Amino acid sequence: MSSRNYKIIMGIETSCDDTAVAIVNSKKEILSNVVINQNTNLTKYGGIVPEIAARDHLTNIEYAVQEALEQSKSKLENIDLIAATGGPGLIGGVIVGTVFAKSLAMSLDKPYVAVNHLEGHALTARLTNNIKYPYLLLLVSGGHTQIIAILEYGKYSRLSSTLDDAAGETFDKAAKILGIGFPGGPMIEKMAMSGNPKLFKLPRPMYKSKNPNFSFSGLKTAFNQIVSNSTLDKNKICDLSASLQKSISDCLVDRTKYAIDQFRTLINENSNIQLVVAGGVASNKYIRNQLEKLASTSKIDFHAPPIGLCTDNGAMIAWAGYEKYISEGETDLNFKARPRWPLDPDAHYKNPIHNKIGKSGVKA
Ligand code: KG4
Ligand code: ZN
């Protein structure tokens, strides 16, 4: 590393449909943040096609790196650390980012760090909101819906998980049913703004349950049934979007409320509790507001990263890579991209719903 008293980190993210590269320094300054998304391609197919996404990453990655360097006014030789998502995610994309980052690190003789994508989301608020450990995290993305006690770097305890679909996936599937495009979350949020959330009665699975987990598949089925029995016009799409957004939000708030009590007991602390939300769904303004209200009535602090850093980005990977490097040092260049990589490796021992371990390990 250089003799400067701070480090410059490049973060590369390719685990889903966005090719993202950012340059961040250890003073928590984001010097550049380039995100190339494949939404036009994806709208055509109504979702992500892993093979196409992987090929697009291959086409975009070099340009994204050059652009990130240019925008940050940094030179490649000034980068101290190269961090890239090593999983979990669509394996083709993760391989592209991993191989690129390792080659770059090797050619520059700089350390390489493989980052868990979920850890990237989990630690974003430490970069953007400067928060300290410990905190309670609601992680809501396209592939994951979990509540995790983030105790310190690398010490994570899962309190809740979805039994079936993730919250983001539910938004995406509902938007597909309505035929309003991909990704679904931002489209549903936009339509919901002019809709009435009370016109359609949708279920709120697990609401007030003593089982701490989430479930969204029943909501998706109920939504599908209502849409199949309706003639859709603009107003109805707005009302349906508002009802769905409210149901998902109610479920997220209710499960988080339950987890706040568990977290208080776990850290043996009644005051000074921090709640953090992260992941693509955390960019939804209605959901952010509802969580803020929950935090206020529960008398705890609430932090949400800036909207643009909730969805996948390279800055979160750079920051998590830096924390990992400080704590564990560099990753061996023999590291292999991991399609599955849970944040808390012992989750399946604690919770029977995670006891199925596929040949690539625990799902997530
Ligand atoms: O974290 P992310 O960018 O990628 C994954 O790690 O999955 O999250 C993407 C998910 C998608 O399901 C997308 O529909 C959802 O986040 N999303 C939203 C919003 N923006 C993105 N959901 C609700 N409201 C939004 N504004
Ligand atoms: Zn993500």
Side-chain angles (χ1 to χ4, degrees), residues 98-353:
T98 300
V99 169
F100 193 94
K102 286 203 267 191
S103 317
L104 200 57
M106 216 181 325
S107 67
L108 297 169
D109 198 20
K110 296 287 163 72
Y112 153 75
V113 178
V115 175
N116 182 316
H117 178 84
L118 303 175
E119 193 166 76
H121 282 302
L123 306 186
T124 303
R126 287 182 43 77
L127 166 69
T128 58
N129 303 46
N130 205 21
I131 64 158
K132 295 201 164 57
Y133 296 118
Y135 52 92
L136 181 66
L137 174 79
L138 170 64
L139 173 51
V140 266
S141 67
H144 298 88
T145 299
Q146 302 178 348
I147 303 179
I148 308 164
I150 306 288
L151 303 169
E152 58 187 64
Y153 177 79
K155 208 166 163 210
Y156 311 127
S157 177
R158 195 187 313 190
L159 305 179
S160 167
S161 223
T162 180
L163 301 172
D164 37 60
D165 296 347
E169 193 181 355
T170 312
F171 274 112
D172 293 337
K173 286 179 177 164
K176 198 170 178 185
I177 293 168
L178 293 174
I180 57 174
F182 185 92
M187 298 307 295
I188 299 265
E189 180 175 20
K190 193 168 152 216
M191 295 296 176
M193 279 173 192
S194 11
N196 179 348
K198 292 188 182 141
L199 279 191
F200 292 96
K201 251 200 135 22
L202 287 167
R204 290 170 296 167
M206 309 300 280
Y207 196 74
K208 300 241 185 281
S209 168
K210 291 278 174 264
N211 175 325
N213 296 306
F214 296 90
S215 167
F216 291 105
S217 70
L219 171 58
K220 177 190 64 192
T221 309
F223 188 81
N224 194 20
Q225 266 166 0
I226 293 180
V227 175
S228 329
N229 297 328
S230 318
T231 347
L232 289 180
D233 57 25
K234 175 91 192 289
N235 288 340
K236 210 167 259 176
I237 289 179
C238 293
D239 295 336
L240 279 161
S241 297
S243 304
L244 180 90
Q245 179 176 266
K246 181 163 187 331
S247 276
I248 293 177
S249 175
D250 285 352
C251 294
L252 295 177
V253 168
D254 176 63
R255 303 292 71 201
T256 306
K257 190 172 173 203
Y258 188 91
I260 291 170
D261 290 335
Q262 287 181 293
F263 185 62
R264 282 193 214 275
T265 312
L266 185 72
I267 65 166
N268 199 13
E269 168 87 64
N270 212 16
S271 49
N272 298 327
I273 301 278
Q274 309 179 95
L275 170 66
V276 170
V277 65
V281 179
S283 47
N284 184 291
K285 293 193 201 73
Y286 178 79
I287 292 173
R288 289 163 83 100
N289 284 340
Q290 297 307 308
L291 289 168
E292 191 156 20
K293 279 188 198 155
L294 168 70
S296 156
T297 52
S298 310
K299 299 197 169 34
I300 64 175
D301 292 334
F302 176 66
H303 304 276
I307 284 178
L309 293 172
C310 288
T311 42
D312 291 349
N313 62 83
M316 69 181 197
I317 301 304
W319 180 258
Y322 174 67
E323 286 212 42
K324 184 171 180 180
Y325 183 76
I326 296 297
S327 169
E328 297 174 6
E330 64 190 292
T331 305
D332 193 293
L333 288 173
N334 283 325
F335 174 87
K336 284 197 180 59
R338 296 181 59 170
R340 298 175 171 198
W341 189 357
L343 253 190
D344 48 344
D346 60 349
H348 58 290
Y349 296 119
K350 290 192 254 163
N351 190 333
I353 62 158

Side-chain angles (χ1 to χ4, degrees), residues 7-33:
K7 308 298 176 206
I8 302 179
I9 311 111
M10 176 182 285
I12 300 176
E13 157 56 39
T14 54
S15 69
C16 197
D17 54 327
D18 293 322
T19 313
V21 180
I23 313 284
V24 169
N25 67 27
S26 55
K27 295 188 284 181
K28 303 193 172 179
E29 290 165 337
I30 299 172
L31 308 176
S32 65
N33 184 35

Side-chain angles (χ1 to χ4, degrees), residues 19 36-38 55-65:
T19 313
I36 303 174
N37 68 46
Q38 306 175 1
R55 266 181 269 145
D56 281 357
H57 285 306
L58 208 51
T59 312
N60 294 336
I61 193 160
E62 206 176 324
Y63 169 77
V65 166

